[in-house]
Amino acid sequence: MNYNKHLSDRMQQRAIKQSTIDYVLHFGTEFHKTGALFYYLRDCDLPLGDRNRPQLARLVGTTVVVSAVDYSVITVYKDRQNGLKDIKRKVKYNIEETESYNLGKEYGWAV
């Protein structure tokens, strides 16, 4: 996994470990929004054996944002109450990329 300074800073600020990111990427639900992949860990995503373990149950609500281009982790945050609602509210595609692509198609530039 590629680390960038932003990710390292956010992990340190939010006290999120590498093992947490790995767990969310493995068990979390994937959403494609705004040109990125959002992995969100819901209650129902926890394996049955992990639901009674408090140290794993507290990971519910963690979101890992991954670049759709090179699949590097961009950032990580935790919002148990509104995290999923905020993700679902985002537009599916990056509007700027879509507009420039359509403009290119209009002039015969798009591939």
Side-chain angles (χ1 to χ4, degrees):
M1 173 183 335
N2 295 336
Y3 278 95
N4 57 32
K5 179 152 176 41
H6 176 78
L7 175 63
S8 299
D9 291 346
R10 295 303 168 259
M11 287 173 63
Q12 189 173 19
Q13 288 172 348
R14 298 168 181 162
I16 296 175
K17 297 179 183 179
Q18 173 61 42
S19 58
T20 300
I21 291 175
D22 295 337
Y23 192 87
V24 173
L25 289 174
H26 188 265
F27 292 109
T29 301
E30 181 181 297
F31 297 93
H32 297 262
K33 298 287 182 170
T34 63
L37 306 173
F38 291 78
Y39 291 87
Y40 182 79
L41 189 66
R42 305 173 298 173
D43 283 320
C44 61
D45 293 330
L46 289 174
L48 292 176
D50 291 347
R51 292 182 185 178
N52 295 328
R53 297 176 61 191
Q55 66 271 26
L56 294 176
R58 70 178 177 80
L59 301 180
V60 171
T62 304
T63 303
V64 178
V65 183
V66 177
S67 169
V69 176
D70 62 358
Y71 299 102
S72 62
V73 178
I74 298 171
T75 193
V76 60
Y77 59 92
K78 190 170 177 187
D79 186 357
R80 187 179 180 118
Q81 294 182 345
N82 296 318
L84 187 57
K85 182 170 52 172
D86 290 343
I87 292 169
K88 287 185 173 183
R89 195 176 345 174
K90 294 181 183 299
V91 294
K92 181 137 177 109
Y93 301 103
N94 185 343
I95 299 298
E96 292 173 3
E97 288 178 9
T98 306
E99 288 175 354
S100 64
Y101 176 78
N102 290 336
L103 181 64
K105 269 178 60 176
E106 183 178 322
Y107 289 103
W109 306 330
V111 178

